[in-house]
Amino acid sequence: MTWVVWVVAAVVVVVAGAGVVAVPRLRDRDLRRRTAWSAARAAIDSAAVSRDAATTSQPEAEQLLARAETLAAAHGGPRAAESAHDHAVRADELWRAARD
């Protein structure tokens, strides 16, 4: 009977150790994902403002912004957010260059 107590105690210690390691990692991953998407949405909004202020049509910039918005609609992970951010920043640069 005492060996059952030792086995249960060992399982509890292992589960507690795994929880101590896993919880901060999960929180960090969620924070990185939310931060990346926040930056991507800000870049998309900035590109949309530049598009509205542009006087000429920029087909490449329109495509880049459409890709960024499509990626944002899919709600992927941090890599998708970084890709959406990059597309939106490039579109914003094209519209700003066309305006100058």
Side-chain angles (χ1 to χ4, degrees):
M1 187 64 145
T2 59
W3 66 272
V4 174
V5 173
W6 283 102
V7 170
V8 170
V11 168
V12 167
V13 168
V14 169
V15 169
V20 166
V21 171
V23 169
R25 286 186 181 180
L26 292 173
R27 285 182 182 167
D28 183 53
R29 185 179 352 162
D30 183 55
L31 179 63
R32 281 195 320 261
R33 183 185 54 79
R34 286 185 293 135
T35 303
W37 278 113
S38 177
R41 285 187 197 98
I44 290 170
D45 290 343
S46 178
V49 168
S50 293
R51 176 194 59 204
D52 294 343
T55 57
T56 61
S57 175
Q58 294 291 324
E60 182 182 358
E62 289 286 345
Q63 286 180 337
L64 288 168
L65 184 58
R67 285 184 201 155
E69 289 172 338
T70 301
L71 286 169
H75 299 293
R79 287 187 200 161
E82 290 171 12
S83 181
H85 178 267
D86 293 344
H87 289 317
V89 166
R90 180 68 183 132
D92 189 33
E93 290 171 353
L94 288 172
W95 274 310
R96 287 178 189 237
R99 190 177 59 201
D100 293 339

